[in-house]
Amino acid sequence: FFAFQTMQPDITGPGVNILAAWSPVATEDTVEQKSVNYNIISGTSMSCPHISAVAAIIKSYNPSWTPAAIMSAIMTTATVLDNTNHLIGRDPNGTQTTPFDYGSGHINPLASLNPGLVYDFSSQDALNFLCSNGASPSQLKNITGELTQCQKYPTPSYNFNYPSIGVSNLNGSLSVYRTVTYYGQEPA
């Protein structure tokens, strides 16, 4: 539900031509239309397990971190370079891409274990974000399970403590605010 004014996608993971387990009863997408145990698959269904695995590794390394902190570590340590050290290109022709294509960039599992600074938020921050985007008490009840009222002046959605910034209908200048927590090993 964070897609209202955050930039999407959040992150890019390995998802093109992944050798993956394949049900032997599924023959439709195999080259020879025959039963196989493995297949080459592409798409978000391949990228998602890679990102989930990195999140699990981060959680085991930092057990006290919230899901938001883990997501921040993944997003803020991503790279916009591909495996040949060139800017991420659009497949199949390699034309230039933008953050609207790859989000924060391609996941860097090792770097995400020690991101230094982390953007974190609580469930109340998420409710404030929804309120600032016009969520009604009944919509909030669907999420929380209880009747929830928005604050009279909710925090503007562009100040949601998220590792990306999205401002719609910007006319002029605007300051946005974030709070980070330092988890680095060295003095700051």
Side-chain angles (χ1 to χ4, degrees):
F1 56 83
F2 298 114
F4 296 116
Q5 285 192 16
T6 61
M7 198 159 77
Q8 298 294 318
D10 289 328
I11 192 75
T12 299
V16 177
N17 296 332
I18 304 296
L19 178 62
W22 187 259
S23 171
V25 297
T27 60
E28 216 171 275
D29 289 330
T30 62
V31 174
E32 298 167 356
Q33 300 288 313
K34 65 179 187 176
S35 177
V36 294
N37 292 324
Y38 297 93
N39 199 1
I40 302 292
I41 309 168
S42 297
T44 54
S45 60
M46 292 295 95
S47 187
C48 182
H50 287 90
I51 303 295
S52 298
V54 171
I57 291 168
I58 294 170
K59 183 66 173 178
S60 70
Y61 192 75
N62 299 293
S64 65
W65 282 14
T66 65
I70 293 168
M71 180 172 44
S72 171
I74 290 171
M75 290 174 66
T76 59
T77 58
T79 178
V80 296
L81 301 178
D82 65 16
N83 60 350
T84 64
N85 279 337
H86 293 92
L87 291 176
I88 295 172
R90 187 171 284 111
D91 203 33
N93 56 10
T95 58
Q96 189 172 354
T97 55
T98 71
F100 293 104
D101 297 306
Y102 53 70
S104 297
H106 197 276
I107 192 167
N108 184 336
L110 188 58
S112 66
L113 290 174
N114 187 17
L117 299 175
V118 171
Y119 299 84
D120 202 357
F121 60 87
S122 67
S123 56
Q124 185 58 52
D125 294 322
L127 289 174
N128 289 341
F129 175 81
L130 294 171
C131 286
S132 72
N133 281 284
S136 69
S138 62
Q139 289 172 319
L140 295 176
K141 185 177 181 182
N142 287 337
I143 296 170
T144 64
E146 55 191 46
L147 190 58
T148 304
Q149 296 291 326
C150 292
Q151 299 172 1
K152 188 172 184 176
Y153 301 106
T155 305
S157 62
Y158 51 79
N159 283 335
F160 182 53
N161 207 45
Y162 197 74
S164 72
I165 298 170
V167 178
S168 62
N169 302 318
L170 180 63
N171 187 8
S173 63
L174 175 72
S175 296
V176 296
Y177 299 92
R178 297 290 187 271
T179 301
V180 294
T181 303
Y182 178 66
Y183 285 105
Q185 305 301 321
E186 296 81 30

